[in-house]
Amino acid sequence: MNTIEFLLSRRSVSVKLITEPGPDDEALDRILRIATRVPDHGKLTPWRIQVLRKDGQARLGDFLAGRFTARHPDANEKQVAFERDRPQRAPLLLVVTAKVRKQHKIPELEQILSGGAVCHNILLAALAEGWAANWITEWPAYDDEVVRLLGHDPETDRILGFLYLGTAAEAPDERPRPELSDVVSRWPQTA
């Protein structure tokens, strides 16, 4: 399949369908090298990537279970177990965080978009290599205590995504895509 065909058929795999095995160190290194080849105005590298294998996923899961219980004291055991399992749904979890330099000539939005491009490149690289992949944020990305646990400053840093990588248990179904006429316009409009 050529690059254009790949991009026209690209499909994330539901995290529920991602299973073992995950990328080994060599495959992960290729994915990460591709991930960092993004637009980066000012060469700031305003993002960081954390690799969580099973031990890190379990530690994060325990923290999420406790954090969820603290935020939702009426939570039942099934809900708490789901939160504990949340970061452990795939063999490999990557966390991408924006490390924005405030008061810099490069606008903050451009720095965040560069981090978003890192997430997208991870997704594309993993899928192109034949792995299953999904980019999700969910509530932990917006929780200051989760940001701190991962070693970041919630005053300046934002989690841009949790990227789950592994093997697809089954091929993903196609999903509806927007009609170009609904999302693309010409400017100025011609008669």
Side-chain angles (χ1 to χ4, degrees):
M1 175 183 308
N2 70 35
T3 304
I4 298 301
E5 289 170 344
F6 166 72
L7 292 172
L8 283 169
S9 63
R10 184 214 70 79
R11 179 72 175 94
S12 296
V13 177
S14 170
V15 75
K16 296 174 188 175
L17 299 176
I18 299 177
T19 187
E20 296 284 352
D24 61 16
D25 289 340
E26 184 179 331
L28 177 59
D29 185 65
R30 274 191 309 277
I31 291 167
L32 295 175
R33 279 189 279 121
I34 293 166
T36 61
R37 294 185 67 88
V38 295
D40 178 11
H41 190 186
K43 301 176 191 158
L44 299 177
T45 58
W47 29 259
R48 296 296 179 269
I49 305 166
Q50 292 174 292
V51 178
L52 283 72
R53 297 243 185 231
K54 288 303 176 189
D55 57 338
Q57 292 172 358
R59 182 172 171 205
L60 179 57
D62 288 342
F63 186 83
L64 294 183
R67 186 79 180 122
F68 185 80
T69 302
R71 292 175 63 171
H72 305 279
D74 58 335
N76 62 46
E77 287 181 32
K78 185 176 179 181
Q79 291 170 313
V80 174
F82 179 84
E83 297 305 328
R84 181 171 283 107
D85 291 341
R86 182 184 294 279
Q88 303 179 70
R89 297 180 284 187
L92 179 63
L93 177 62
L94 303 178
V95 182
V96 178
T97 306
K99 304 288 277 185
V100 174
R101 293 191 196 176
K102 303 249 185 213
Q103 310 303 318
H104 194 279
K105 70 178 184 176
I106 306 303
E108 290 180 29
L109 179 58
E110 286 188 37
Q111 297 179 53
I112 292 168
L113 289 171
S114 181
V118 168
C119 293
H120 195 234
N121 269 15
I122 289 170
L123 191 67
L124 290 177
L127 294 169
E129 290 264 316
W131 299 105
N134 201 313
W135 170 12
I136 303 175
T137 49
E138 302 176 307
W139 73 265
Y142 306 102
D143 187 278
D144 288 352
E145 295 307 313
V146 173
V147 173
R148 278 191 193 89
L149 174 76
L150 292 170
H152 306 291
D153 180 353
E155 294 296 317
T156 57
D157 306 337
R158 295 183 193 176
I159 294 173
L160 300 176
F162 295 98
L163 289 108
Y164 294 84
L165 282 65
T167 299
E170 60 185 65
D173 293 330
E174 186 53 60
R175 69 172 180 83
R177 303 295 174 166
E179 291 294 327
L180 292 181
S181 60
D182 292 339
V183 296
V184 177
S185 61
R186 307 285 187 232
W187 191 90
Q189 280 190 311
T190 57

